[in-house]
Amino acid sequence: MSEHTTEPTTVQLDGITKEYASLRAVEDVDFDVTPGEFLVIVGPSGCGKSTTLRMIAGLETVTDGELFFDDERVTDLGASERNVAMVFQNYALYPHMSARRNITFGMSEFDDEEIADRVENAAEILDITDLLDRKPKELSGGERQRVALGRAICRDPDVFLMDEPLSNLDAKLRVQMRGELARLHDELGTTTIYVTHDQTEAMTLGDRVAVLDDGQLQQVDPPQQLYDFPQNRFVAEFIGDPAMNMLSVNITDQTAEHDGFSIPLPEYDGFEGSALLGLRPEDIKYVRESEPDNEAFKATVTVTEPLGDTVLFYCQTPDGTEFKVQSEPRLGVESGDEITLSYDPDRLHVFDPDSGEAVYHSAETAGATRAEQQAQTGDD
Ligand code: ADP
């Protein structure tokens, strides 16, 4: 594939809003996509992902706000006036045309030689050279999606826009195509905006991930940052599987109290009183009797869910609060057992129970505190 002919494009969303009658599907969304970036928009069904993408594509009018590609204001330009290529979930292939014709259809602005070159290049990248004369019904789902990608690549667009392009594929093929999309993006370096409801897809593909809920942007950050430092309860519970536990606690004196445990919050300087303590299932650990642990507390297992490489314990504190623990397998733990657990003190999160805003991540302070202590005692 020939390199993209111009420098990768910046896409800027400046207070983008979309209203359908009385419904505000997208509300005052601001973010920039940097040149050559792979940005994923993720959120639950109906949160406004597709509407946002369609506004960027020019397929949907913008009610309020401005859109820029580099320095050019494109807010009012039609889809054909923006050099974007879109890939959809349902492939959108013409059934009576060959793969080759599907790829080249509508490329009348190029001469035949140029088109042939571009198809050849795209087919090579996508490994579909041998399939170009087949009709869509003679192709598997994965092959059809490759043809749809071929159509997008051939246009050498400024921006790729992808709307759930893998969700019609079975789980195994989805993982394979995910890898191929990442490779393709590395190869082409084209600015890409990708919509999905699947947080694993978002985390694995995105240079950065924009989380939307109810038409509103919650956070835009690299995947690890979203996982480690979620700005609010929605992001904390949406990113990560199984979801982060949210335990009602009472905070006094830099300590989160709950019936059954008391957890110190080093350097906490947020509000006192009732709060939500966020603790990921993978940050809670089963403690063997032979390995006593300072941070330990007890809980009763109500259900065990073996996943092969891990086991999920559904647990209850003495006051009946439920939470999940992701543990190593083969510990012989059964439902009804009372077990001892500990937690990673560097992975505690506190949220305001009313606004949902994050007020504390122990990783921001606890790790540093520990390093200082170790330096003082000469311990490493
Ligand atoms: P997502 O892609 O996150 O699933 P959408 O962007 O498709 O969500 O939709 C966001 C909201 O806007 C939903 O409540 C949906 O019902 C509504 N919506 C989408 N398209 C239209 C339309 N053409 N007319 C009216 N409401 C719409």
Side-chain angles (χ1 to χ4, degrees), residues 138-282:
E138 297 163 329
L139 300 170
S140 71
E143 289 163 349
R144 278 182 220 166
Q145 193 51 288
R146 261 175 237 182
V147 172
L149 281 168
R151 186 157 69 190
I153 291 172
C154 261
R155 278 155 178 75
D156 190 20
D158 292 334
V159 186
F160 280 125
L161 301 174
M162 306 197 181
D163 193 348
E164 305 254 10
L166 306 185
S167 50
N168 274 358
L169 307 177
D170 66 49
K172 200 169 161 198
L173 198 52
R174 208 155 55 217
V175 173
Q176 186 193 332
M177 285 296 290
R178 205 163 74 196
E180 289 191 22
L181 278 179
R183 179 183 58 81
L184 197 64
H185 179 254
D186 281 349
E187 207 163 314
L188 301 176
T190 307
T191 306
T192 302
I193 308 177
Y194 184 104
V195 158
T196 180
H197 65 277
D198 178 345
Q199 58 102 15
T200 310
E201 220 167 273
M203 297 290 275
T204 51
L205 278 171
D207 293 320
R208 283 187 308 151
V209 178
V211 184
L212 269 188
D213 181 38
D214 204 11
Q216 300 191 354
L217 186 63
Q218 306 294 309
Q219 186 168 355
V220 191
D221 264 318
Q224 196 66 48
Q225 185 80 9
L226 281 182
Y227 177 88
D228 288 342
F229 303 105
Q231 276 169 15
N232 60 40
R233 180 179 180 177
F234 180 83
V235 176
E237 293 185 299
F238 192 78
I239 301 290
D241 183 29
M244 186 186 281
N245 295 298
M246 289 289 167
L247 303 165
S248 297
V249 293
N250 190 50
I251 300 183
T252 48
D253 279 345
Q254 299 191 324
T255 306
E257 305 278 355
H258 185 97
D259 185 14
F261 60 82
S262 168
I263 292 182
L265 305 172
E267 314 238 335
Y268 177 84
D269 64 357
F271 59 84
E272 302 219 314
S274 78
L276 290 169
L277 179 72
L279 202 44
R280 294 199 182 274
E282 56 274 32

Side-chain angles (χ1 to χ4, degrees), residues 13 16 18 20 26 41 48-62 67 69 74-75 77-79 82 84 86-88 90 161-163 193 195:
L13 282 71
I16 291 298
K18 177 70 190 183
Y20 292 115
V26 177
I41 304 176
K49 305 181 293 295
S50 289
T51 303
T52 304
L53 198 74
R54 291 170 62 80
M55 285 191 284
I56 299 169
L59 296 170
E60 201 75 73
T61 57
V62 171
L67 268 167
F69 286 3
V74 300
T75 319
L77 295 186
R82 307 181 189 188
V84 300
M86 195 140 170
V87 182
F88 300 94
N90 58 9
L161 301 174
M162 306 197 181
D163 193 348
I193 308 177
V195 158

Side-chain angles (χ1 to χ4, degrees), residues 265-323:
L265 305 172
E267 314 238 335
Y268 177 84
D269 64 357
F271 59 84
E272 302 219 314
S274 78
L276 290 169
L277 179 72
L279 202 44
R280 294 199 182 274
E282 56 274 32
D283 294 330
I284 310 178
K285 197 175 95 219
Y286 175 84
V287 181
R288 290 183 173 80
E289 274 178 37
S290 55
E291 296 169 6
D293 191 310
N294 290 340
E295 265 102 35
F297 62 96
K298 292 204 181 294
T300 304
V301 178
T302 55
V303 176
T304 66
E305 225 171 58
L307 299 165
D309 56 340
T310 57
V311 183
L312 206 54
F313 297 148
Y314 290 64
C315 296
Q316 266 186 2
T317 61
D319 75 347
T321 304
E322 300 192 339
F323 63 100

Side-chain angles (χ1 to χ4, degrees), residues 331-348:
L331 291 169
V333 173
E334 291 175 8
S335 57
D337 288 355
E338 185 180 72
I339 58 173
T340 306
L341 297 166
S342 76
Y343 58 90
D344 184 341
D346 290 352
R347 305 243 74 89
L348 303 169

